Amino acid sequence: MKTVIVGGVAAGASTGARLRRLDESAEIVILERDPYVSFANCGLPYHIGGAIPERGSLLLQTPESLAKSLALDVRTGQDVVRIDLDAKEVEVHDQEQGRTYRESYDKLVLCTGAEPVRPPIPGADDPGVDVLRNIPDMDRIIAHLDRGASSAVVVGGSYIGLELTEAFRARGLQTTVIERTERLMPWLDPEMTRILDYHVSTQDVDLRLGTSATEVRRTDNDRLAVELSDGTSIETDVVVMASGARPNVALA
């Protein structure tokens, strides 16, 4: 029995480990398009802020360690672009070698995760506008901060947005949070979010509730300006979209 798992990290690597424990003879292949197959997602903002100083401590497993401990065939940099259900094969683009090949399977498991939502506003896709989902995203944000950034705007006041806000304040950045609803983490009870709103405001965070970002543009001095629904504008060095995530179902 050969199982091909598309995607690593939490779902894919855990599925591979469980399948191996159920069947020592199974052939298990994990195809991950990013360079890292297993990392601590929740630690990403805390490395940005310095609470987790060592980048390497976020990397939990490698293809080599999974091959040694669980006999998993883990291949990073492999982008699965098509599923041939009739032939029971997936078409894979090897990003490093620039070639395309087909991999057969008896069972196929899709663990493609989610992708960050960029609001449908002008400038949201600017290369200087960041999201945070994986290690390369984290590295890019740190690179932007290390260019002498003194301010940041976070669009979205939920988990990732607030964790990034904490990270930016830990680095001494003047930080603004833009949240389109009237309170942070709006799915919580108002009695809880009132306490949260107050706490965030005591951390010298510019909290803009009930406000949306309507555009991100480049200024004359090559900084970023975020235009808001209330008619104001914020000029800043770093912009991160933390507006939620949606299932990555394009392959399926």
Side-chain angles (χ1 to χ4, degrees), residues 114-119 130-134 137 241-246:
E115 57 186 3
V117 172
R118 290 181 183 261
D130 293 308
V131 294
L132 182 60
R133 176 182 178 270
N134 53 30
D137 291 339
M241 296 294 177
S243 305
R246 58 174 164 248

Side-chain angles (χ1 to χ4, degrees), residues 121-122 153-156 176-180 206-217 224-236 239 241:
I121 61 173
V153 169
V154 179
V155 180
T176 302
V177 177
I178 301 167
E179 169 54 50
R180 65 190 177 98
D206 182 6
L207 189 55
R208 307 288 186 96
L209 298 176
T211 307
S212 300
T214 58
E215 182 183 0
V216 181
R217 58 177 176 82
L224 294 168
V226 183
E227 305 292 338
L228 304 181
S229 57
D230 62 5
T232 62
S233 177
I234 304 172
E235 189 171 319
T236 186
V239 174
M241 296 294 177

Side-chain angles (χ1 to χ4, degrees), residues 96-217:
E96 183 176 344
Q97 298 186 18
R99 67 184 182 96
T100 299
Y101 65 95
R102 294 170 73 92
E103 188 76 29
S104 64
Y105 63 84
D106 296 307
K107 296 290 186 181
L108 181 66
V109 184
L110 300 183
C111 299
T112 47
E115 57 186 3
V117 172
R118 290 181 183 261
I121 61 173
D125 57 350
D126 185 290
V129 175
D130 293 308
V131 294
L132 182 60
R133 176 182 178 270
N134 53 30
I135 295 283
D137 291 339
M138 180 192 73
D139 291 340
R140 190 164 44 250
I141 291 173
I142 292 174
H144 288 162
L145 295 174
D146 288 345
R147 292 173 190 162
S150 61
S151 62
V153 169
V154 179
V155 180
S158 295
Y159 288 115
I160 294 175
L162 291 182
E163 289 170 354
L164 280 168
T165 298
E166 183 180 6
F168 293 152
R169 289 298 299 129
R171 293 179 65 124
L173 273 68
Q174 179 184 347
T175 306
T176 302
V177 177
I178 301 167
E179 169 54 50
R180 65 190 177 98
T181 67
E182 295 296 334
R183 60 185 197 267
L184 298 171
M185 294 196 177
W187 60 86
L188 296 177
D189 291 338
E191 293 81 2
M192 298 177 69
T193 56
R194 252 184 246 119
I195 299 170
L196 182 58
D197 294 349
Y198 172 75
H199 175 73
V200 171
S201 66
T202 65
Q203 304 303 307
D204 294 326
V205 174
D206 182 6
L207 189 55
R208 307 288 186 96
L209 298 176
T211 307
S212 300
T214 58
E215 182 183 0
V216 181
R217 58 177 176 82

Side-chain angles (χ1 to χ4, degrees), residues 16-48:
R18 181 60 179 157
L19 288 174
R20 171 58 68 228
R21 293 186 179 98
L22 292 172
D23 185 352
E24 292 187 3
S25 64
E27 183 179 357
I28 304 168
V29 179
I30 299 178
L31 302 172
E32 168 58 49
R33 68 180 178 183
D34 287 334
Y36 306 96
V37 70
S38 179
F39 59 89
N41 307 65
C42 295
L44 301 180
Y46 298 102
H47 178 60
I48 293 173

